[in-house]
Amino acid sequence: RADNADHRLTPLGSTFGVVGPERAATHQAKATALADARQMAKALTLTPKQAADCGLAVNFDGQRRDLTQLLAYPDVTVEKLADVWPQIQTWSNDTRTQIEIDALYAGYLDRQAADVAAFRRDESLEIDPSLDYTRVGGLSREAQEKLAAVRPKTLGQAGRIEGVTPGALTALLAHVRRGPSHAA
């Protein structure tokens, strides 16, 4: 993500001595403000009824939601939440923007983390050496050719082949899980 490049790269630049002291201090102040805002965002919560009373449309599922979770709703903005919690008006524009971006990406990051955990769990799953990759539904011709040429022994090895996409791995995983009766 381009929006957080300074957060990822400035500490690295400091380590290698390519970031000056002024830039390092500016980054540290910004990072501290963002960390404080993130902590505050987790602490500020509303029930669905409280959210509705504030004019925020959320699911009435009994779940208390923090500021970041509320921002995941399409019509909820930091500006609207500042009416509920005036203390967030002290956040800089950069901090507000980053908190909103964090909220937008949170669902994707959670799903990606779950996908990574699932892949690690299935990484050692063995692939039949005689598997006919043309019979695996959902594989592109490129993926079929690369898998057939390399003949990976496990799903983890298949995932390290250049050009084998996450979608191809998912298709291969589904095929391998179905077992030998559905293979070639």
Side-chain angles (χ1 to χ4, degrees), residues 92-126:
S92 71
N93 286 336
D94 285 346
T95 298
R96 283 181 180 213
T97 299
Q98 193 61 54
I99 294 292
E100 285 180 316
I101 290 170
D102 287 352
L104 289 173
Y105 277 101
Y108 298 113
L109 294 175
D110 291 345
R111 276 194 298 277
Q112 190 175 46
D115 289 347
V116 167
F119 178 74
R120 287 209 172 109
R121 196 177 50 245
D122 297 324
E123 172 169 54
S124 61
L125 192 64
E126 293 186 6

Short mmCIF file of all heavy atoms in Angstrom, two decimals, residues 92-126:
data_model
loop_
_atom_site.label_atom_id
_atom_site.label_comp_id
_atom_site.label_asym_id
_atom_site.label_seq_id
_atom_site.Cartn_x
_atom_site.Cartn_y
_atom_site.Cartn_z
N SER A 92 -4.96 14.86 13.60
CA SER A 92 -4.56 15.57 12.38
C SER A 92 -5.28 14.95 11.18
O SER A 92 -5.80 13.83 11.27
CB SER A 92 -3.05 15.44 12.18
OG SER A 92 -2.71 14.11 11.80
N ASN A 93 -5.29 15.67 10.07
CA ASN A 93 -5.90 15.12 8.85
C ASN A 93 -5.22 13.83 8.42
O ASN A 93 -5.89 12.90 7.97
CB ASN A 93 -5.85 16.16 7.71
CG ASN A 93 -6.84 17.28 7.92
OD1 ASN A 93 -7.85 17.12 8.62
ND2 ASN A 93 -6.56 18.42 7.33
N ASP A 94 -3.89 13.77 8.53
CA ASP A 94 -3.16 12.54 8.18
C ASP A 94 -3.61 11.37 9.05
O ASP A 94 -3.81 10.26 8.56
CB ASP A 94 -1.65 12.73 8.34
CG ASP A 94 -1.03 13.56 7.24
OD1 ASP A 94 -1.69 13.78 6.19
OD2 ASP A 94 0.13 13.99 7.41
N THR A 95 -3.76 11.63 10.34
CA THR A 95 -4.18 10.56 11.26
C THR A 95 -5.60 10.12 10.95
O THR A 95 -5.87 8.91 10.89
CB THR A 95 -4.07 11.04 12.72
OG1 THR A 95 -2.69 11.36 12.99
CG2 THR A 95 -4.54 9.98 13.70
N ARG A 96 -6.50 11.05 10.73
CA ARG A 96 -7.89 10.71 10.37
C ARG A 96 -7.92 9.85 9.12
O ARG A 96 -8.61 8.83 9.07
CB ARG A 96 -8.71 11.97 10.11
CG ARG A 96 -9.14 12.71 11.32
CD ARG A 96 -9.96 13.92 10.90
NE ARG A 96 -10.39 14.66 12.06
CZ ARG A 96 -11.54 15.31 12.13
NH1 ARG A 96 -12.34 15.34 11.10
NH2 ARG A 96 -11.86 15.96 13.21
N THR A 97 -7.17 10.30 8.11
CA THR A 97 -7.15 9.57 6.84
C THR A 97 -6.62 8.15 7.05
O THR A 97 -7.19 7.18 6.53
CB THR A 97 -6.29 10.31 5.80
OG1 THR A 97 -6.87 11.60 5.58
CG2 THR A 97 -6.20 9.55 4.50
N GLN A 98 -5.56 8.02 7.83
CA GLN A 98 -4.98 6.69 8.05
C GLN A 98 -5.94 5.78 8.82
O GLN A 98 -6.06 4.60 8.52
CB GLN A 98 -3.64 6.80 8.79
CG GLN A 98 -2.85 5.52 8.77
CD GLN A 98 -2.48 5.06 7.37
OE1 GLN A 98 -1.91 5.80 6.60
NE2 GLN A 98 -2.85 3.84 7.03
N ILE A 99 -6.64 6.33 9.80
CA ILE A 99 -7.62 5.54 10.56
C ILE A 99 -8.73 5.07 9.62
O ILE A 99 -9.17 3.91 9.69
CB ILE A 99 -8.19 6.36 11.75
CG1 ILE A 99 -7.10 6.64 12.78
CG2 ILE A 99 -9.40 5.66 12.37
CD1 ILE A 99 -6.59 5.44 13.54
N GLU A 100 -9.19 5.93 8.73
CA GLU A 100 -10.23 5.53 7.76
C GLU A 100 -9.71 4.44 6.82
O GLU A 100 -10.41 3.48 6.54
CB GLU A 100 -10.70 6.74 6.96
CG GLU A 100 -11.61 7.66 7.74
CD GLU A 100 -12.08 8.86 6.93
OE1 GLU A 100 -11.26 9.48 6.22
OE2 GLU A 100 -13.28 9.18 7.02
N ILE A 101 -8.49 4.60 6.35
CA ILE A 101 -7.90 3.60 5.45
C ILE A 101 -7.74 2.27 6.18
O ILE A 101 -8.04 1.20 5.63
CB ILE A 101 -6.57 4.11 4.86
CG1 ILE A 101 -6.83 5.25 3.88
CG2 ILE A 101 -5.80 2.98 4.18
CD1 ILE A 101 -5.58 5.98 3.42
N ASP A 102 -7.27 2.33 7.42
CA ASP A 102 -7.14 1.11 8.22
C ASP A 102 -8.48 0.37 8.31
O ASP A 102 -8.54 -0.85 8.19
CB ASP A 102 -6.66 1.43 9.64
CG ASP A 102 -5.20 1.83 9.72
OD1 ASP A 102 -4.48 1.73 8.70
OD2 ASP A 102 -4.78 2.25 10.82
N ALA A 103 -9.55 1.14 8.53
CA ALA A 103 -10.88 0.54 8.65
C ALA A 103 -11.31 -0.10 7.34
O ALA A 103 -11.89 -1.18 7.33
CB ALA A 103 -11.89 1.59 9.09
N LEU A 104 -11.00 0.56 6.22
CA LEU A 104 -11.37 0.01 4.92
C LEU A 104 -10.62 -1.29 4.62
O LEU A 104 -11.17 -2.22 4.05
CB LEU A 104 -11.10 1.02 3.81
CG LEU A 104 -12.02 2.23 3.78
CD1 LEU A 104 -11.54 3.25 2.74
CD2 LEU A 104 -13.45 1.81 3.48
N TYR A 105 -9.35 -1.34 4.99
CA TYR A 105 -8.53 -2.51 4.71
C TYR A 105 -8.69 -3.63 5.73
O TYR A 105 -8.29 -4.76 5.47
CB TYR A 105 -7.05 -2.12 4.64
CG TYR A 105 -6.62 -1.57 3.32
CD1 TYR A 105 -6.48 -0.19 3.14
CD2 TYR A 105 -6.34 -2.40 2.24
CE1 TYR A 105 -6.09 0.33 1.92
CE2 TYR A 105 -5.94 -1.88 1.03
CZ TYR A 105 -5.81 -0.52 0.87
OH TYR A 105 -5.41 0.00 -0.32
N ALA A 106 -9.25 -3.34 6.90
CA ALA A 106 -9.31 -4.32 7.98
C ALA A 106 -9.95 -5.63 7.55
O ALA A 106 -9.43 -6.72 7.84
CB ALA A 106 -10.04 -3.74 9.19
N GLY A 107 -11.07 -5.56 6.87
CA GLY A 107 -11.74 -6.78 6.42
C GLY A 107 -10.89 -7.59 5.46
O GLY A 107 -10.80 -8.82 5.58
N TYR A 108 -10.25 -6.90 4.55
CA TYR A 108 -9.38 -7.58 3.60
C TYR A 108 -8.20 -8.23 4.30
O TYR A 108 -7.81 -9.36 4.00
CB TYR A 108 -8.85 -6.61 2.53
CG TYR A 108 -9.92 -6.00 1.69
CD1 TYR A 108 -10.19 -4.64 1.77
CD2 TYR A 108 -10.67 -6.76 0.80
CE1 TYR A 108 -11.18 -4.05 0.99
CE2 TYR A 108 -11.66 -6.19 0.02
CZ TYR A 108 -11.91 -4.84 0.12
OH TYR A 108 -12.88 -4.27 -0.64
N LEU A 109 -7.60 -7.51 5.24
CA LEU A 109 -6.45 -8.04 5.96
C LEU A 109 -6.84 -9.24 6.82
O LEU A 109 -6.09 -10.21 6.91
CB LEU A 109 -5.81 -6.94 6.82
CG LEU A 109 -5.19 -5.80 6.04
CD1 LEU A 109 -4.70 -4.70 6.98
CD2 LEU A 109 -4.04 -6.29 5.16
N ASP A 110 -8.02 -9.18 7.44
CA ASP A 110 -8.49 -10.32 8.23
C ASP A 110 -8.69 -11.55 7.35
O ASP A 110 -8.29 -12.66 7.72
CB ASP A 110 -9.80 -9.98 8.95
CG ASP A 110 -9.61 -8.96 10.07
OD1 ASP A 110 -8.46 -8.72 10.48
OD2 ASP A 110 -10.63 -8.40 10.52
N ARG A 111 -9.32 -11.34 6.17
CA ARG A 111 -9.51 -12.46 5.25
C ARG A 111 -8.19 -13.00 4.75
O ARG A 111 -7.99 -14.21 4.63
CB ARG A 111 -10.40 -12.04 4.07
CG ARG A 111 -11.87 -12.13 4.37
CD ARG A 111 -12.70 -12.03 3.10
NE ARG A 111 -12.53 -10.76 2.41
CZ ARG A 111 -13.17 -9.65 2.70
NH1 ARG A 111 -14.05 -9.62 3.69
NH2 ARG A 111 -12.96 -8.55 2.01
N GLN A 112 -7.26 -12.09 4.44
CA GLN A 112 -5.95 -12.52 3.95
C GLN A 112 -5.22 -13.32 5.03
O GLN A 112 -4.60 -14.34 4.73
CB GLN A 112 -5.13 -11.31 3.53
CG GLN A 112 -3.86 -11.68 2.80
CD GLN A 112 -3.13 -10.46 2.30
OE1 GLN A 112 -2.97 -9.48 3.04
NE2 GLN A 112 -2.69 -10.50 1.06
N ALA A 113 -5.29 -12.88 6.26
CA ALA A 113 -4.65 -13.61 7.36
C ALA A 113 -5.27 -14.99 7.51
O ALA A 113 -4.56 -15.98 7.73
CB ALA A 113 -4.78 -12.83 8.67
N ALA A 114 -6.59 -15.09 7.36
CA ALA A 114 -7.25 -16.40 7.43
C ALA A 114 -6.81 -17.28 6.26
O ALA A 114 -6.59 -18.48 6.44
CB ALA A 114 -8.77 -16.22 7.42
N ASP A 115 -6.69 -16.69 5.06
CA ASP A 115 -6.22 -17.44 3.90
C ASP A 115 -4.80 -17.96 4.11
O ASP A 115 -4.49 -19.10 3.77
CB ASP A 115 -6.28 -16.59 2.63
CG ASP A 115 -7.68 -16.31 2.16
OD1 ASP A 115 -8.63 -16.98 2.65
OD2 ASP A 115 -7.85 -15.42 1.30
N VAL A 116 -3.94 -17.11 4.67
CA VAL A 116 -2.55 -17.51 4.92
C VAL A 116 -2.52 -18.66 5.94
O VAL A 116 -1.80 -19.63 5.75
CB VAL A 116 -1.71 -16.31 5.40
CG1 VAL A 116 -0.38 -16.75 5.97
CG2 VAL A 116 -1.50 -15.33 4.26
N ALA A 117 -3.31 -18.53 7.00
CA ALA A 117 -3.35 -19.59 8.01
C ALA A 117 -3.86 -20.89 7.40
O ALA A 117 -3.31 -21.97 7.68
CB ALA A 117 -4.24 -19.17 9.18
N ALA A 118 -4.89 -20.81 6.56
CA ALA A 118 -5.42 -22.00 5.91
C ALA A 118 -4.38 -22.62 4.98
O ALA A 118 -4.21 -23.84 4.93
CB ALA A 118 -6.69 -21.67 5.14
N PHE A 119 -3.67 -21.76 4.24
CA PHE A 119 -2.65 -22.28 3.33
C PHE A 119 -1.54 -22.96 4.11
O PHE A 119 -1.08 -24.04 3.74
CB PHE A 119 -2.07 -21.16 2.45
CG PHE A 119 -0.98 -21.67 1.55
CD1 PHE A 119 -1.30 -22.44 0.44
CD2 PHE A 119 0.35 -21.40 1.82
CE1 PHE A 119 -0.31 -22.93 -0.39
CE2 PHE A 119 1.34 -21.89 0.99
CZ PHE A 119 1.01 -22.65 -0.11
N ARG A 120 -1.11 -22.36 5.22
CA ARG A 120 -0.04 -22.98 6.03
C ARG A 120 -0.49 -24.34 6.56
O ARG A 120 0.30 -25.27 6.66
CB ARG A 120 0.35 -22.05 7.17
CG ARG A 120 1.13 -20.86 6.68
CD ARG A 120 2.10 -20.34 7.72
NE ARG A 120 2.95 -19.33 7.11
CZ ARG A 120 2.88 -18.04 7.36
NH1 ARG A 120 2.00 -17.59 8.22
NH2 ARG A 120 3.69 -17.21 6.76
N ARG A 121 -1.77 -24.43 6.88
CA ARG A 121 -2.31 -25.68 7.37
C ARG A 121 -2.28 -26.74 6.28
O ARG A 121 -2.01 -27.91 6.54
CB ARG A 121 -3.75 -25.42 7.85
CG ARG A 121 -4.34 -26.47 8.70
CD ARG A 121 -5.74 -26.11 9.20
NE ARG A 121 -6.63 -25.66 8.14
CZ ARG A 121 -7.14 -24.43 8.04
NH1 ARG A 121 -6.86 -23.52 8.94
NH2 ARG A 121 -7.93 -24.10 7.05
N ASP A 122 -2.53 -26.33 5.02
CA ASP A 122 -2.61 -27.26 3.90
C ASP A 122 -1.32 -27.36 3.09
O ASP A 122 -1.25 -28.12 2.12
CB ASP A 122 -3.75 -26.84 2.95
CG ASP A 122 -5.10 -26.89 3.63
OD1 ASP A 122 -5.31 -27.80 4.45
OD2 ASP A 122 -5.93 -26.01 3.35
N GLU A 123 -0.31 -26.61 3.46
CA GLU A 123 0.93 -26.52 2.69
C GLU A 123 1.61 -27.88 2.48
O GLU A 123 2.21 -28.13 1.45
CB GLU A 123 1.83 -25.52 3.40
CG GLU A 123 3.20 -25.38 2.94
CD GLU A 123 3.88 -24.17 3.57
OE1 GLU A 123 3.91 -24.05 4.81
OE2 GLU A 123 4.38 -23.37 2.81
N SER A 124 1.52 -28.76 3.47
CA SER A 124 2.19 -30.06 3.35
C SER A 124 1.31 -31.13 2.69
O SER A 124 1.72 -32.28 2.58
CB SER A 124 2.66 -30.53 4.72
OG SER A 124 1.54 -30.70 5.56
N LEU A 125 0.13 -30.74 2.25
CA LEU A 125 -0.77 -31.67 1.58
C LEU A 125 -0.09 -32.21 0.32
O LEU A 125 0.38 -31.45 -0.52
CB LEU A 125 -2.07 -30.95 1.22
CG LEU A 125 -3.23 -31.81 0.77
CD1 LEU A 125 -3.68 -32.73 1.89
CD2 LEU A 125 -4.39 -30.91 0.36
N GLU A 126 -0.01 -33.52 0.22
CA GLU A 126 0.70 -34.14 -0.90
C GLU A 126 -0.16 -34.19 -2.16
O GLU A 126 -1.36 -34.38 -2.09
CB GLU A 126 1.17 -35.54 -0.52
CG GLU A 126 2.24 -35.50 0.55
CD GLU A 126 2.84 -36.86 0.86
OE1 GLU A 126 2.52 -37.85 0.17
OE2 GLU A 126 3.64 -36.93 1.80
#
